[in-house]
Amino acid sequence: MTQLVVAPDGRRLAVEQRGEPDGHPVFLLHGTPGSRVGPSPRATVLYRLGIRLITFDRPGYGRSDRLEGRRVADVAADVVTIADALGVGRFAVVGRSGGAPHALACAALLPDRLTRVAALVALAPREAEGLDWFDGMTESNVVEYRLALAGAGAVAARLTRAAEQIRADPASKVVGLFREVPESDRRVVADHGIRRLLVRNFAEGLRESTDGWVDDVLAFSGPWGFDPAEIRVPTLLWHGENDVFSPVGHSRWLGRRIPAATVRIQRGMAHFGAFGVLPEVLLWLVRT
Protein backbone atom coordinates (compact mmCIF):
# COMPACT_ATOMS: atom_id res chain seq x y z
CA MET A 1 0.00 0.00 0.00
CA THR A 2 1.32 3.45 -0.93
CA GLN A 3 1.45 6.12 1.76
CA LEU A 4 1.86 9.81 0.97
CA VAL A 5 4.19 11.64 3.36
CA VAL A 6 4.21 15.44 3.21
CA ALA A 7 7.58 17.20 3.38
CA PRO A 8 7.99 20.50 5.26
CA ASP A 9 7.80 22.41 1.96
CA GLY A 10 4.45 20.76 1.10
CA ARG A 11 5.72 18.22 -1.42
CA ARG A 12 4.17 14.75 -1.35
CA LEU A 13 6.46 11.73 -1.18
CA ALA A 14 5.07 8.33 -2.18
CA VAL A 15 6.26 5.63 0.23
CA GLU A 16 5.80 1.86 0.51
CA GLN A 17 6.82 -0.63 3.19
CA ARG A 18 7.32 -4.36 2.81
CA GLY A 19 8.59 -7.20 4.92
CA GLU A 20 8.62 -7.54 8.71
CA PRO A 21 6.81 -4.53 10.30
CA ASP A 22 8.89 -4.83 13.49
CA GLY A 23 12.11 -5.71 11.66
CA HIS A 24 15.30 -3.79 11.03
CA PRO A 25 14.36 -0.65 9.02
CA VAL A 26 16.23 -0.36 5.72
CA PHE A 27 15.63 2.26 3.04
CA LEU A 28 16.09 0.98 -0.53
CA LEU A 29 16.72 3.84 -2.97
CA HIS A 30 15.72 3.05 -6.55
CA GLY A 31 17.67 3.41 -9.78
CA THR A 32 17.43 5.86 -12.69
CA PRO A 33 14.76 5.89 -13.99
CA GLY A 34 12.81 4.05 -11.33
CA SER A 35 10.22 4.05 -8.60
CA ARG A 36 9.24 2.71 -5.20
CA VAL A 37 8.00 -0.52 -6.85
CA GLY A 38 11.37 -1.42 -8.36
CA PRO A 39 12.90 -4.90 -8.00
CA SER A 40 13.43 -6.02 -4.40
CA PRO A 41 13.42 -9.33 -2.52
CA ARG A 42 10.07 -11.03 -2.07
CA ALA A 43 8.11 -10.42 1.13
CA THR A 44 8.86 -13.94 2.34
CA VAL A 45 12.60 -13.29 2.00
CA LEU A 46 12.28 -9.98 3.84
CA TYR A 47 10.36 -11.66 6.67
CA ARG A 48 13.00 -14.38 6.94
CA LEU A 49 15.76 -11.75 7.10
CA GLY A 50 13.84 -9.65 9.61
CA ILE A 51 13.86 -6.61 7.30
CA ARG A 52 11.36 -3.74 7.26
CA LEU A 53 12.04 -2.44 3.73
CA ILE A 54 11.09 1.18 3.01
CA THR A 55 11.01 2.48 -0.56
CA PHE A 56 9.88 5.79 -1.98
CA ASP A 57 9.69 7.66 -5.27
CA ARG A 58 12.39 10.32 -5.50
CA PRO A 59 10.96 13.78 -6.32
CA GLY A 60 9.55 13.89 -9.84
CA TYR A 61 9.10 10.12 -10.13
CA GLY A 62 5.87 8.16 -9.77
CA ARG A 63 3.57 9.84 -7.26
CA SER A 64 6.17 12.09 -5.62
CA ASP A 65 6.10 15.82 -6.37
CA ARG A 66 9.05 17.36 -8.15
CA LEU A 67 11.82 19.29 -6.41
CA GLU A 68 13.23 21.31 -9.28
CA GLY A 69 16.96 21.94 -9.14
CA ARG A 70 17.53 19.25 -6.53
CA ARG A 71 21.03 18.05 -5.72
CA VAL A 72 22.01 14.54 -4.71
CA ALA A 73 22.39 15.82 -1.14
CA ASP A 74 18.74 16.89 -0.98
CA VAL A 75 17.61 13.28 -0.60
CA ALA A 76 18.80 13.27 3.02
CA ALA A 77 16.06 15.65 4.15
CA ASP A 78 13.38 13.57 2.41
CA VAL A 79 14.65 10.36 4.02
CA VAL A 80 14.53 12.00 7.46
CA THR A 81 11.00 13.27 6.78
CA ILE A 82 9.85 9.76 5.87
CA ALA A 83 11.66 8.11 8.77
CA ASP A 84 10.10 10.54 11.24
CA ALA A 85 6.63 10.05 9.75
CA LEU A 86 6.99 6.27 10.10
CA GLY A 87 8.36 6.45 13.62
CA VAL A 88 11.79 5.14 12.60
CA GLY A 89 14.79 6.26 14.66
CA ARG A 90 17.99 4.74 13.28
CA PHE A 91 18.08 2.85 10.00
CA ALA A 92 20.28 1.52 7.23
CA VAL A 93 20.24 2.62 3.58
CA VAL A 94 21.03 0.79 0.36
CA GLY A 95 20.99 2.43 -3.05
CA ARG A 96 21.22 0.69 -6.40
CA SER A 97 22.50 2.39 -9.57
CA GLY A 98 21.06 5.93 -9.53
CA GLY A 99 20.03 5.35 -5.94
CA ALA A 100 23.62 4.66 -4.86
CA PRO A 101 24.89 8.28 -4.84
CA HIS A 102 21.75 9.21 -2.90
CA ALA A 103 22.47 6.48 -0.35
CA LEU A 104 25.99 7.88 0.07
CA ALA A 105 24.48 11.34 0.62
CA CYS A 106 22.46 9.95 3.53
CA ALA A 107 25.60 8.38 4.99
CA ALA A 108 27.55 11.64 4.77
CA LEU A 109 24.80 13.94 6.01
CA LEU A 110 22.90 11.77 8.52
CA PRO A 111 25.62 10.07 10.58
CA ASP A 112 23.49 10.09 13.75
CA ARG A 113 20.56 8.32 12.04
CA LEU A 114 22.34 5.78 9.81
CA THR A 115 23.74 2.49 11.04
CA ARG A 116 25.27 1.29 7.75
CA VAL A 117 25.12 2.11 4.06
CA ALA A 118 25.54 0.07 0.88
CA ALA A 119 26.00 1.49 -2.62
CA LEU A 120 25.51 -0.99 -5.46
CA VAL A 121 26.87 -0.18 -8.94
CA ALA A 122 27.38 3.45 -7.94
CA LEU A 123 28.42 6.47 -9.92
CA ALA A 124 31.20 8.71 -8.59
CA PRO A 125 30.93 12.51 -8.60
CA ARG A 126 31.42 14.06 -12.01
CA GLU A 127 34.39 16.10 -10.75
CA ALA A 128 36.11 13.01 -9.26
CA GLU A 129 39.82 13.77 -9.48
CA GLY A 130 41.85 11.16 -11.34
CA LEU A 131 38.79 9.30 -12.71
CA ASP A 132 38.03 9.07 -16.42
CA TRP A 133 34.30 9.39 -15.75
CA PHE A 134 33.11 8.07 -19.13
CA ASP A 135 35.62 5.23 -19.51
CA GLY A 136 33.73 1.99 -20.15
CA MET A 137 30.30 3.66 -20.20
CA THR A 138 27.69 2.73 -22.80
CA GLU A 139 27.02 5.35 -25.47
CA SER A 140 23.44 6.13 -24.42
CA ASN A 141 24.58 7.16 -20.94
CA VAL A 142 27.51 9.14 -22.33
CA VAL A 143 25.10 11.13 -24.50
CA GLU A 144 22.72 11.81 -21.59
CA TYR A 145 25.41 13.01 -19.21
CA ARG A 146 27.16 15.14 -21.82
CA LEU A 147 23.83 16.76 -22.67
CA ALA A 148 23.60 17.81 -19.01
CA LEU A 149 26.41 20.26 -19.70
CA ALA A 150 24.09 21.99 -22.19
CA GLY A 151 21.40 22.44 -19.56
CA ALA A 152 18.06 21.04 -18.46
CA GLY A 153 16.33 21.75 -21.77
CA ALA A 154 18.66 19.50 -23.75
CA VAL A 155 18.32 16.65 -21.27
CA ALA A 156 14.53 17.03 -21.09
CA ALA A 157 14.16 16.98 -24.87
CA ARG A 158 16.00 13.66 -25.15
CA LEU A 159 14.45 11.96 -22.14
CA THR A 160 10.90 13.13 -22.87
CA ARG A 161 10.99 11.25 -26.16
CA ALA A 162 12.34 8.16 -24.41
CA ALA A 163 9.72 8.38 -21.65
CA GLU A 164 6.87 8.73 -24.14
CA GLN A 165 7.96 5.49 -25.78
CA ILE A 166 8.21 3.75 -22.39
CA ARG A 167 4.73 4.94 -21.36
CA ALA A 168 3.32 3.67 -24.65
CA ASP A 169 5.16 0.34 -24.34
CA PRO A 170 6.93 -0.17 -20.97
CA ALA A 171 8.46 -3.42 -22.16
CA SER A 172 10.37 -1.54 -24.87
CA LYS A 173 12.82 -0.17 -22.29
CA VAL A 174 13.65 -3.68 -21.13
CA VAL A 175 14.01 -4.95 -24.70
CA GLY A 176 16.34 -2.04 -25.45
CA LEU A 177 18.63 -3.06 -22.64
CA PHE A 178 19.63 -6.20 -24.51
CA ARG A 179 21.38 -4.13 -27.17
CA GLU A 180 23.69 -2.47 -24.65
CA VAL A 181 24.49 -4.89 -21.85
CA PRO A 182 27.00 -7.75 -21.57
CA GLU A 183 25.93 -11.38 -21.50
CA SER A 184 25.71 -11.63 -17.70
CA ASP A 185 23.15 -8.81 -17.63
CA ARG A 186 21.21 -10.37 -20.50
CA ARG A 187 20.81 -13.53 -18.45
CA VAL A 188 19.43 -11.51 -15.52
CA VAL A 189 16.99 -9.51 -17.64
CA ALA A 190 15.88 -12.66 -19.47
CA ASP A 191 14.30 -13.91 -16.23
CA HIS A 192 10.54 -13.49 -16.54
CA GLY A 193 10.11 -12.27 -12.98
CA ILE A 194 12.84 -9.64 -13.28
CA ARG A 195 11.47 -8.44 -16.62
CA ARG A 196 7.99 -8.07 -15.12
CA LEU A 197 9.36 -6.07 -12.17
CA LEU A 198 11.43 -3.82 -14.44
CA VAL A 199 8.46 -3.10 -16.71
CA ARG A 200 6.31 -2.18 -13.70
CA ASN A 201 9.16 -0.10 -12.25
CA PHE A 202 9.71 2.00 -15.38
CA ALA A 203 5.99 2.45 -16.04
CA GLU A 204 5.33 3.68 -12.49
CA GLY A 205 8.37 5.93 -12.32
CA LEU A 206 7.47 7.73 -15.55
CA ARG A 207 3.68 7.60 -15.17
CA GLU A 208 3.22 11.39 -14.91
CA SER A 209 6.33 12.98 -16.37
CA THR A 210 10.05 12.73 -17.12
CA ASP A 211 10.93 15.20 -14.35
CA GLY A 212 12.54 12.71 -11.97
CA TRP A 213 14.73 11.22 -14.69
CA VAL A 214 15.83 14.64 -15.93
CA ASP A 215 16.57 15.85 -12.42
CA ASP A 216 18.60 12.74 -11.61
CA VAL A 217 20.82 13.22 -14.66
CA LEU A 218 21.34 16.89 -13.82
CA ALA A 219 22.03 16.10 -10.14
CA PHE A 220 24.65 13.46 -10.98
CA SER A 221 26.31 15.84 -13.42
CA GLY A 222 26.59 18.80 -11.03
CA PRO A 223 28.00 19.28 -7.52
CA TRP A 224 26.52 16.65 -5.22
CA GLY A 225 26.43 18.84 -2.13
CA PHE A 226 28.68 16.59 -0.04
CA ASP A 227 32.08 14.91 -0.21
CA PRO A 228 32.14 11.08 0.02
CA ALA A 229 35.27 11.48 2.14
CA GLU A 230 32.97 12.78 4.90
CA ILE A 231 31.33 9.35 5.30
CA ARG A 232 32.14 7.68 8.60
CA VAL A 233 29.41 5.02 8.91
CA PRO A 234 30.29 1.45 7.79
CA THR A 235 30.08 1.43 4.00
CA LEU A 236 29.83 -1.38 1.46
CA LEU A 237 30.49 -0.73 -2.22
CA TRP A 238 29.48 -3.55 -4.59
CA HIS A 239 30.07 -3.53 -8.33
CA GLY A 240 29.91 -5.96 -11.22
CA GLU A 241 33.23 -5.78 -13.06
CA ASN A 242 31.61 -5.68 -16.53
CA ASP A 243 29.12 -2.88 -15.81
CA VAL A 244 28.59 -0.53 -18.78
CA PHE A 245 26.02 1.82 -17.21
CA SER A 246 28.10 2.88 -14.21
CA PRO A 247 31.59 1.48 -14.90
CA VAL A 248 33.48 -0.29 -12.14
CA GLY A 249 36.09 2.46 -11.95
CA HIS A 250 33.51 4.61 -10.18
CA SER A 251 33.26 2.27 -7.17
CA ARG A 252 37.02 1.84 -7.11
CA TRP A 253 37.38 5.63 -6.91
CA LEU A 254 34.76 5.84 -4.14
CA GLY A 255 36.53 3.06 -2.28
CA ARG A 256 39.71 5.11 -2.21
CA ARG A 257 37.80 8.21 -1.13
CA ILE A 258 35.58 6.82 1.64
CA PRO A 259 37.48 5.97 4.82
CA ALA A 260 37.35 2.27 5.71
CA ALA A 261 34.91 1.41 2.90
CA THR A 262 34.61 -2.26 1.97
CA VAL A 263 34.78 -2.70 -1.81
CA ARG A 264 33.52 -5.88 -3.48
CA ILE A 265 34.14 -6.21 -7.21
CA GLN A 266 32.38 -9.25 -8.69
CA ARG A 267 33.99 -10.84 -11.74
CA GLY A 268 31.67 -12.14 -14.42
CA MET A 269 28.85 -9.82 -13.36
CA ALA A 270 27.65 -6.41 -14.49
CA HIS A 271 24.99 -3.80 -13.67
CA PHE A 272 21.96 -6.01 -13.03
CA GLY A 273 23.93 -8.45 -10.95
CA ALA A 274 23.05 -6.08 -8.10
CA PHE A 275 19.56 -7.63 -7.98
CA GLY A 276 20.92 -11.03 -7.04
CA VAL A 277 23.24 -9.84 -4.26
CA LEU A 278 20.64 -7.68 -2.53
CA PRO A 279 19.56 -10.28 0.09
CA GLU A 280 23.21 -10.76 1.09
CA VAL A 281 23.68 -6.99 1.24
CA LEU A 282 20.58 -6.61 3.42
CA LEU A 283 22.05 -9.11 5.86
CA TRP A 284 25.26 -7.09 6.00
CA LEU A 285 23.29 -3.89 6.59
CA VAL A 286 21.53 -5.21 9.69
CA ARG A 287 24.57 -6.92 11.17
CA THR A 288 25.41 -5.62 14.66
Side-chain angles (χ1 to χ4, degrees), residues 91 179 241 282:
F91 49 87
R179 294 193 293 268
E241 189 175 47
L282 289 172

Side-chain angles (χ1 to χ4, degrees), residues 1 9 22 30 47 61 65 77 86 121 130 137 144 147 156 159 169 176 184-185 227-228 267:
M1 181 178 296
D9 61 3
D22 297 321
H30 66 74
Y47 272 101
Y61 283 114
D65 294 329
L86 300 180
V121 294
M137 187 178 289
E144 283 178 19
L147 277 176
L159 296 187
D169 179 14
S184 61
D185 270 352
D227 186 341
R267 298 185 64 183

Side-chain angles (χ1 to χ4, degrees), residues 27 75-85 88 91 110 113:
F27 278 81
V75 73
D78 285 346
V79 166
V80 166
T81 293
I82 294 168
D84 289 349
V88 172
F91 49 87
L110 306 173
R113 299 292 294 268

